Structure formats: structure tokens, C-alpha cells
């Protein structure tokens, strides 16, 4: 497959832009279907989290793939293509695999080493499977990425270098408003991030734990799971009262607009007792807490923008040896995956070659039967076995060797050579593979005219197998 990754994340775009580009409601599914339906795309998967939006696709045309996917991303996020271009990155083939494996290990996360990304990648794969946009290639790739992520967490101490975004956020809250233990906590939302927040707060020893969600049944289920810690759910209509009775609020909903307005927060802060400020940890994208809350008296807000700044200051300070160990694992796994994919890609061609050889032998034996009708059955059988042995011996060494060579960089050329030298029917190869024969998409050399459908301002991409100079900034790993 020719893997192309196009996206933006906290490393390339400001939080404000990520917030505007956030995909909510049915938008992820619609973008996924649109990407899969694009002419250059064979398969598609989407990874959409609070700090990244990435399309993983199998393409047969590099330029057209980048151009069409970037336009689709702009259309479905509502951010103009001109504004997006400055923040998008592109990874291609081995570099794209390296990027995904690095993401799976938490190396590209806001909080380096966090393990939540594995669940988010699994969600992205599940969505692509449910919508039938991921074929064998992306399924194998994502499954391997999940295995690499698990290996990194098992074989290294990367967990010590990183934390969940929830834990990291609560530490920032504690620095400003005091220990979490003993606080009255309110969790707004009942999704995976909210569930993690509620569990973390319960373990931290909060004195009260209230869950509020628009769908009350989900809040009730989450509260029931934490009943041993005294958690309970209240209707969303009582959010204002719950807000006034809390010392700490963690909000992470999937709402498209503000959930906690400045007016509601002001009213809650005025009704509170105690000298410590009302702490608000907003982990939603787009944000749940009104931006005006940052300037309110008696209120302290920590959101993704705050966390991004804090993460940048602490990046690389701890766990450097573990991070380096994970990078070595990623490099090793990328090499192994690439070799296995290249070797597997030539198998249909080898099978088609052997099938053609068998058909030639069969035809010649039938011709011999017609010319020598006096041969007895035993002689005919011996002749057939002898001819087949000769053909097998002639093909054995070259087919074994070509599989070995195919595992090396540039190995796809060996399959093409076999098809050309032995005049193999592409349809026969396709029948063995169960999918169309796709020549890997080649990024043309600089100066080659781009597709007319490219968005304004794009230059030609780099030479084959590199993306370092593409106008969409290629990112390490």
C-alpha cells in the first residue's frame, strides 16, 4: 500500500485553530466517507482527538491525494484551505508508518508517554471498520500500531515519563488551588475522558463526586461504577446548583458549543463558601468553558491551551532514557513492518508465475499425449512428474530470492520485473491477490506540474519516498 497521512495537531497548530477544526457529532463519519470516496483513495481511517485530526489513507496518486484530502479536511472542519495549509503536515510511505507508530507509543502526544492514545487509535480503526472504509492494508497497519504501542509500554518505563492528560491537568490544578484530596468534585460528561477523570478523582480522595451529563442514563451508569467512592449523578438541569457546590470541575463533553458560560460560572463562584477559587479543568475540544471565565474573580481555569504551554515547558525533562528506548522500538518496528509488507506484496506475482508455469506444463503434456498415443499410463505419469520437477527446480531459487529481495527498500520493482519478464497477465495477479494491482504512488520530482485541482499555493512535493520539503510541513516520526 502507498500510505499517506495528512493532518494537524497540537505540534503544528494553535489550540484556537484546533478548537475551530474540531469534529463533533456526525462530522467524523462524514469526513471519513468523503475521504474514502475520493478518486485517489483506496482505503481511509480517521484519528480525531482533542489535540489531533489525522487522515490515514492508501492512495495511488501522491499529489491528487494530498490536494483532495486537504480540501475535504477544510470543508468538513469549516476552516479555510488557505488557513489550514500553514498548519497541515504530510507523511508518506515509511515516514507515515513511523509517524503512526510514534503516535501509538505516546511520543507525539501533548503529554509524552500517555497511554490514552491507544484507545483513541482503536476507536479510529473501529469507526473505519464499521463504515467499511478500511481494507486489509489499514487494518494490518493499525493492528500493528496497537501492538507497537503496547510493546513500548511493556518493555520500557515510558509510563513514568508520561501521564494521562487528566492526571497532568489535575496536577496543574493542584499547583494553583491546593491538593485534590478532600475537594468537592463535579464531572461534566460521561464519555471515555470523563470516565477517566471521575475514576482519577475518586482515587485521589475527593470528598464528593457528582456526575452530570446531558444523557442522564450514562451519568447514572458512571456514578454506579464509582458508587464505592460515594459518586452520584444529578440531572443536567441541575448543573448550576452542582457547579455552585463544587470546588473542582472537570468538563469534557462532545458538545459543539459552550457548556459552562461565564454567567453561570460567575453565579456559582458567588454562591460558594470557602477561600479557595473554583477550579475548572476543561479537557474538551471544542472547549466547554467560556473563554471569558479566565478573567473572573474567584475562578481558576486550566484548559488544553494551558496544558499545551505547561507540556512544552516540561517536555524532555523526565524519562529521556525511556523515550529514547521507545524511539528505538519504533524504528525497529517500522523496518520490520516495511520488510513484511514489501515481501507480502510480491507473493501474488510469484503465485501467478507458478500458475502460468503449471499451465504451460499441462498444455505441453496434453500435446504430447496427442503425438504419442502409444505411451502407457505409467510412462505418461513418469514424464509428467519429471517435467514438473524440472520446472519447480528452475523456479525455486529465483522465487525464493525474489521474496528476500522484495523485503528490502525498493522491493516493489522486483514484482514489476517478474510481471514484465514473464508477460504475466495483471488480471491473473489480481485474482491471486484479491485486490487490484496498484503501482506505489510516486511523488514526482520538484518542478513537475501539479494536479489542476490542487488548492492555491501548493508547490510540487519532494522526490520519491521523502516528504521533508513538502509545503505542508513534514514532522519527525
Amino acid at each position: 500500500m502507498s500510505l499517506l497521512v495528512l493532518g494537524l495537531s497540537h505540534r503544528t497548530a494553535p489550540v484556537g485553530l484546533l478548537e475551530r477544526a474540531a469534529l463533533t457529532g456526525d462530522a467524523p463519519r462524514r469526513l471519513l466517507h468523503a475521504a474514502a470516496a475520493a478518486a485517489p483513495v483506496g482505503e481511509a481511517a480517521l484519528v480525531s482527538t482533542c489535540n489531533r485530526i489525522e487522515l490515514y489513507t492508501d492512495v495511488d496518486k501522491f499529489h491528487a491525494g494530498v490536494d483532495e484530502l486537504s480540501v475535504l479536511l477544510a470543508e468538513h472542519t469549516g476552516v479555510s484551505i488557505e488557513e489550514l495549509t500553514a498548519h497541515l503536515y504530510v507523511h508518506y510511505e515509511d515516514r507515515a508508518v513511523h509517524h503512526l507508530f510514534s503516535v501509538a507509543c505516546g511520543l507525539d502526544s501533548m503529554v509524552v508517554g500517555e497511554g490514552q492514545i491507544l484507545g483513541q487509535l482503536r476507536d479510529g480503526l473501529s469507526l473505519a471498520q464499521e463504515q467499511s472504509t478500511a481494507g486489509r492494508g489499514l487494518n494490518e497497519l493499525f493492528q500493528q500500531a496497537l501492538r507497537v504501542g503496547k510493546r513500548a509500554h511493556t518493555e520500557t518505563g515510558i509510563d513514568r515519563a508520561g501521564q494521562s492528560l487528566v492526571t497532568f491537568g489535575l496536577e496543574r490544578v493542584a499547583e494553583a488551588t491546593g491538593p485534590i484530596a478532600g475537594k468537592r468534585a463535579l464531572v461534566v460528561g460521561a464519555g471515555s475522558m470523563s470516565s477517566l477523570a471521575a475514576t482519577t478523582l475518586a482515587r485521589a480522595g475527593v470528598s464528593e463526586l457528582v456526575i452530570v451529563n446531558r444523557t442522564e442514563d450514562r451519568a447514572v451508569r458512571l456514578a454506579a461504577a464509582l458508587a464505592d467512592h460515594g459518586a452520584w449523578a444529578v440531572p443536567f438541569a441541575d448543573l448550576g446548583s452542582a457547579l455552585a457546590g463544587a470546588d473542582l470541575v472537570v468538563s469534557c463533553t462532545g458538545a459543539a458549543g459552550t457548556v459552562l458560560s461565564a454567567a453561570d460560572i460567575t453565579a456559582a463562584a458567588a454562591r460558594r463558601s470557602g477561600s479557595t477559587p473554583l477550579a475548572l479543568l476543561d479537557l474538551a475540544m471544542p472547549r466547554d468553558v467560556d473563554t471569558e471565565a479566565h478573567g473572573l474573580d474567584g475562578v481558576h481555569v486550566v484548559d488544553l491551551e494551558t496544558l499545551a504551554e505547561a507540556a512544552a515547558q516540561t517536555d524532555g525533562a523526565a524519562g529521556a532514557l525511556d523515550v529514547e528506548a521507545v524511539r528505538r522500538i519504533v524504528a525497529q518496528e517500522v523496518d520490520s513492518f516495511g520488510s513484511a509488507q514489501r515481501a507480502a506484496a510480491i507473493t501474488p506475482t510469484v503465485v501467478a508465475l507458478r500458475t502460468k508455469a503449471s499451465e504451460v506444463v499441462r498444455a505441453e503434456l496434453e500435446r504430447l499425449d496427442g503425438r504419442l498415443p502409444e505411451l502407457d499410463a505409467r510412462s505418461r505419469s513418469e514424464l509428467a512428474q519429471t517435467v514438473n520437477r524440472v520446472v519447480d527446480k528452475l523456479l525455486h531459487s529465483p522465487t525464493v530470492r525474489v521474496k528476500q529481495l522484495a523485503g528490502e527498500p525498493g522491493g516493489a520493482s522486483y514484482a514489476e520485473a517478474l510481471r514484465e519478464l514473464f508477460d504475466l497477465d495483471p488480471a491473473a495477479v489480481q485474482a491471486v491477490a484479491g485486490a487490484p494491482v496498484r503501482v506505489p504512488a510516486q511523488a514526482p520530482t520538484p518542478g513537475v506540474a501539479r494536479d489542476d485541482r490542487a488548492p492555491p499555493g501548493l508547490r510540487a512535493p519532494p522526490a520519491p519516498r521523502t516528504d521533508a520539503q513538502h509545503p505542508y510541513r513534514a514532522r519527525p516520526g
Side-chain angles (χ1 to χ4, degrees), residues 257-341:
T258 299
V259 176
L260 300 175
S261 68
D264 290 339
I265 294 169
T266 299
R271 293 167 56 188
R272 291 181 68 250
S273 58
S275 57
T276 60
L278 171 61
L280 300 169
L281 175 56
D282 185 2
L283 299 175
M285 182 63 71
R287 70 187 78 201
D288 283 342
V289 177
D290 193 329
T291 54
E292 294 182 9
H294 280 273
L296 297 177
D297 292 335
V299 176
H300 181 78
V301 180
V302 174
D303 55 19
L304 290 176
E305 194 164 13
T306 310
L307 295 180
E309 295 171 357
Q313 294 173 1
T314 59
D315 192 22
L321 293 178
D322 293 315
V323 169
E324 187 57 37
V326 172
R327 286 176 178 156
R328 288 195 295 270
I329 288 175
V330 168
Q332 179 189 84
E333 292 284 357
V334 169
D335 288 343
S336 297
F337 183 82
S339 294
Q341 290 290 303

Side-chain angles (χ1 to χ4, degrees), residues 12-306:
T12 64
V15 172
L17 178 61
L18 287 173
E19 182 180 15
R20 289 163 49 209
L23 300 170
T24 59
D26 199 38
R29 187 187 64 80
R30 288 188 282 106
L31 172 57
L32 183 59
H33 276 284
V41 176
E43 302 177 38
L46 172 68
V47 175
S48 178
T49 73
C50 62
N51 51 37
R52 76 176 62 246
I53 302 172
E54 295 179 337
L55 281 167
Y56 289 80
T57 58
D58 177 21
V59 298
D60 57 10
K61 294 179 181 178
F62 179 86
H63 271 304
V66 172
D67 296 345
E68 293 200 27
L69 292 174
S70 59
V71 169
L72 287 174
L73 196 58
E75 289 176 354
H76 286 78
T77 60
V79 180
S80 70
I81 185 64
E82 291 79 13
E83 188 173 6
L84 269 184
T85 298
H87 303 286
L88 289 174
Y89 49 81
V90 170
H91 296 297
Y92 184 58
E93 291 190 332
D94 286 350
R95 286 180 64 90
V97 176
H98 190 285
H99 175 74
L100 177 58
F101 288 4
S102 297
V103 168
C105 293
L107 293 179
D108 197 59
S109 297
M110 184 182 293
V111 182
V112 175
E114 59 93 8
Q116 284 175 271
I117 187 62
L118 284 173
Q120 293 163 336
L121 289 181
R122 193 175 292 109
D123 290 343
L125 175 59
S126 295
L127 178 62
Q129 290 172 335
E130 291 167 4
Q131 303 300 320
S132 300
T133 63
R136 179 177 178 179
L138 285 181
N139 270 287
E140 291 181 352
L141 174 67
F142 269 69
Q143 293 291 355
Q144 185 61 25
L146 293 172
R147 286 190 286 269
V148 173
K150 291 178 182 177
R151 179 188 170 192
H153 285 279
T154 299
E155 297 183 13
T156 74
I158 192 68
D159 291 327
R160 295 192 300 269
Q163 310 157 295
S164 72
L165 197 60
V166 170
T167 303
F168 189 68
L170 289 175
E171 286 187 356
R172 306 288 80 75
V173 168
E175 289 174 358
T177 65
I180 302 300
K183 288 187 182 297
R184 298 169 297 172
L186 167 65
V187 174
V188 183
S192 57
M193 184 76 82
S194 297
S195 298
L196 177 60
T199 303
T200 303
L201 288 167
R203 291 174 178 171
V206 294
S207 60
E208 294 180 6
L209 181 55
V210 180
I211 315 293
V212 176
N213 190 55
R214 289 187 186 276
T215 305
E216 190 172 350
D217 288 348
R218 297 187 66 184
V220 170
R221 286 197 297 271
L222 177 55
L226 297 170
D228 291 345
H229 297 277
W232 75 92
V234 299
F236 192 81
D238 294 336
L239 176 59
S241 299
L243 188 63
D247 301 312
L248 166 62
V249 180
V250 180
S251 188
C252 185
T253 73
T258 299
V259 176
L260 300 175
S261 68
D264 290 339
I265 294 169
T266 299
R271 293 167 56 188
R272 291 181 68 250
S273 58
S275 57
T276 60
L278 171 61
L280 300 169
L281 175 56
D282 185 2
L283 299 175
M285 182 63 71
R287 70 187 78 201
D288 283 342
V289 177
D290 193 329
T291 54
E292 294 182 9
H294 280 273
L296 297 177
D297 292 335
V299 176
H300 181 78
V301 180
V302 174
D303 55 19
L304 290 176
E305 194 164 13
T306 310

Side-chain angles (χ1 to χ4, degrees), residues 392-407:
D392 284 343
K393 288 181 178 180
L394 285 174
L395 291 181
H396 177 72
S397 292
T399 52
V400 169
R401 182 60 178 148
V402 80
K403 286 183 179 180
Q404 295 171 341
L405 293 171

